[in-house]
Amino acid sequence: MELKSCRVLVTPTSYGKNDLQLWTELEALVGEVVRNTFGRPLTAGETRGLIKGCDGYIAGLDTIDRAAIEAADRLKIIARYGVGVDGVDLDAAKERSIIVTNTPFANSVSVAELAIGLLFSLARSIPSAVATTKAGQWARPMGITLAGKTVGVIGLGAIGKQ
């Protein structure tokens, strides 16, 4: 099968969000790209409706059940965009010789940065300050300073190492 004659379903809502060139490059490589127009992970029924005729599937947090895999008449690979393969019926995929992969380090930097950002946000009481300001008040939450404190990370997986 020539790669440029493939049809690929792409459902992660973050795919190409900040870099539209990703879509252009993917379309140039495979031919036809079917996009998730729902703006959220797909339900099992929505997956079944879009997967027919697709050779590849870059999957987000969609539900990919047995019925969806059985509706996939040409599917060769499900590439989960992120960690894990939750939501994919692995037995059904194996029975149909569909390869299931994931991208375990794809978002580890972003998640680690978000965790540090949330740490600062909570330490300095930013969420409550935002809420009271939106309510028309000018509260002055104290929060705690992190200067001179030791912060520990529990877990040394991809995110913890970042």
Side-chain angles (χ1 to χ4, degrees), residues 2 9 17 50 102 159:
E2 184 179 319
L9 174 60
K17 190 173 189 174
L50 291 173
N102 67 0
I159 296 165

Side-chain angles (χ1 to χ4, degrees), residues 10-50:
V10 180
T11 61
T13 55
S14 61
Y15 184 88
K17 190 173 189 174
N18 297 318
D19 184 1
L20 298 179
Q21 184 66 28
L22 286 176
W23 290 105
T24 305
E25 290 173 4
L26 182 60
E27 288 168 348
L29 284 171
V30 302
E32 183 182 356
V33 176
V34 179
R35 298 181 188 211
N36 173 1
T37 59
F38 294 94
R40 58 173 168 66
L42 303 179
T43 65
E46 291 162 346
T47 301
R48 284 190 297 274
L50 291 173

